[in-house]
Amino acid sequence: MSQRVLTTESGAPVADNQNSATAGAGGPILVQDQHLLEKLARFNRERIPERVVHARGSGAYGYFEVTDDVTGFTRADFLSEVGRRTETFIRFSTVADSLGGADAVRDPRGFALKFYTNEGNYDLVGNNTPVFFIKDPIKFPDFIHSQKRDPFTGRQEPDNVWDFWANSPEATHQITWLMGDRGIPASYRHMHGFGSHTYQWTNAKGEAFFVKYHFKTNQGVRSLSAEQAAEQVGKDANSHQTDLLQAIERGVNPSWTLHVQLMPAAEAADYRFNPFDVTKVWPHADYPLQRVGRLVLDRNPDNVFAEVEQAAFSPNNFVPGIGPSPDKMLQGRLFAYADAQRYRLGINHTQLPVNAPKAADVDNYGRDGLHATRYGSRQDKNYEPNSYAGPAQTGAALGSPLAVHGWTGTHEAPLHAKDDDFFQAGELYRLMSADEKDRLIANIAGGLSQVTRDDVIEKNLAHFHAADADYGKRVEEAVRALRED
């Protein structure tokens, strides 16, 4: 094999990559050493701003295969035929930690999936939990600030974490998930994924359904105890990345079965609780799981920075037949996710290979901006309407319209008959085995007992009491015992 020639960024061959050019053998370095200056300047600019949330992640390519007919519910073309396969890219992540954090920590996990469909990219941006801590996006920056490093101490503070939760009773359901056994997955392969939010499907007749996505792992759910996780972090802080990479390299391709819950749109208004509240689940007894297909991961990225760190997802990347719902948290994310990527990667981040459509053509009037690579032909105009046969609108909406009414202003979500911040947290607790309850109580008490203010502790205890009497009693006793030690 012939030796490849090292070149500069402009393609010129490099004569010496070991020694800088100097004024004489022992003299100072010369500014004319273009290769040195280029290397140092590039090195200084190799990092981009990390994500504020979901900074630490792993990714893989694969495909989604339709196994069941869902054409009665959606006209999305990539779901239109049993056996149809669509290329995908997925990014798993922790939420609160920085890029330099560890994998095996107690934290929700991101489950962001990009479908490269022939009608454009469809992004489904969810978590490994079916619910979330808050229900209104105006609280999201404050929530994340409470979970991140304190501006004075420079570390995550139990006082901040639990003070926010004390004043946000709707978080009780997600806290019960997070502090339970599934709070630390053994690997990305051994956890479920959820769309979490409520979305809309529309069929060819224009009939609308609200939908929730459930990706059930075919590897089985496996989780780590707090003790096992601490040991794992000490051995390999990159344990989840290592596991995913090695599994796919060995040909042990992880897979998930996609099920959905479907609610006819007309039933939403009178459902017993708000179906667009992301702090709640839809009971399967009301809306059973219906199988759709399977997701298989079979290829690792060639370059983690280019394909995982620069991967950009936005829940407003819909395709015909799929659209948003009035879920307020989802509505906030429709703006925030795309805006985050414009900040991190620039206005043309959708032209990066991992983000660009693979099965659909892009044809619009965007031409300029940093890193633009899509120019069009010399005859193409960059405005619309025009008289030069440029791309034009279809007039066909992606989904069905939603009726709205009322006065503008800041409103709490309208209450349904059974809306409550604590009932579903109590139901989740009562579903747990005795051992699961023991570990849940220990995990909550371990964090809550570190809080320095009694009133914050009491507010949180009141939430657990409201969810279930035994739940509250056991947390209270465990916190008291730890604080008396």
Side-chain angles (χ1 to χ4, degrees), residues 206-244:
E207 298 168 327
F209 301 84
F210 292 118
V211 60
K212 282 186 175 289
Y213 295 88
H214 301 250
F215 288 86
K216 300 293 188 179
T217 176
N218 294 324
Q219 291 70 239
V221 172
R222 285 180 48 208
S223 303
L224 302 175
S225 67
E227 295 75 21
Q228 290 171 325
E231 182 180 355
Q232 184 67 267
V233 168
K235 290 179 178 178
D236 181 7
N238 306 295
S239 56
H240 288 28
Q241 164 68 13
T242 301
D243 175 85
L244 182 66

Side-chain angles (χ1 to χ4, degrees), residues 378-427:
R378 66 177 64 181
Q379 290 83 20
D380 283 345
K381 303 302 179 183
N382 64 345
Y383 59 88
E384 199 275 338
N386 64 60
S387 304
Y388 293 85
Q393 65 195 40
T394 66
L398 297 184
S400 295
L402 297 171
V404 295
H405 58 86
W407 298 95
T408 60
T410 56
H411 304 285
E412 292 186 11
L415 289 177
H416 290 229
K418 298 292 184 180
D419 272 337
D420 177 276
D421 287 329
F422 309 110
F423 177 73
Q424 289 198 353
E427 284 195 319

Side-chain angles (χ1 to χ4, degrees), residues 153-213:
T153 66
R155 63 182 189 180
Q156 189 183 53
E157 291 291 349
D159 277 352
N160 300 357
V161 171
W162 289 96
D163 181 43
F164 184 89
W165 287 343
N167 292 287
S168 303
E170 70 268 29
T172 308
H173 193 185
Q174 174 72 321
I175 293 169
T176 306
W177 273 89
L178 178 63
M179 297 300 175
D181 280 358
R182 298 190 183 188
I184 313 178
S187 79
Y188 289 131
R189 296 184 296 129
H190 293 92
M191 67 182 193
H192 295 326
F194 301 89
S196 301
H197 297 289
T198 301
Y199 296 90
Q200 183 202 75
W201 276 7
T202 306
N203 65 19
K205 299 177 182 178
E207 298 168 327
F209 301 84
F210 292 118
V211 60
K212 282 186 175 289
Y213 295 88

Side-chain angles (χ1 to χ4, degrees), residues 30-64:
L30 299 174
V31 174
Q32 73 182 43
D33 190 340
Q34 181 265 351
H35 180 50
L36 168 67
L37 299 187
E38 183 178 80
K39 284 185 72 175
L40 293 179
R42 180 184 181 87
F43 181 74
N44 285 342
R45 293 162 176 81
E46 282 183 351
R47 297 280 73 83
I48 58 177
E50 70 173 45
R51 292 166 169 86
V52 177
V53 289
H54 297 277
R56 182 178 181 81
S58 301
Y61 292 94
Y63 62 87
F64 179 79

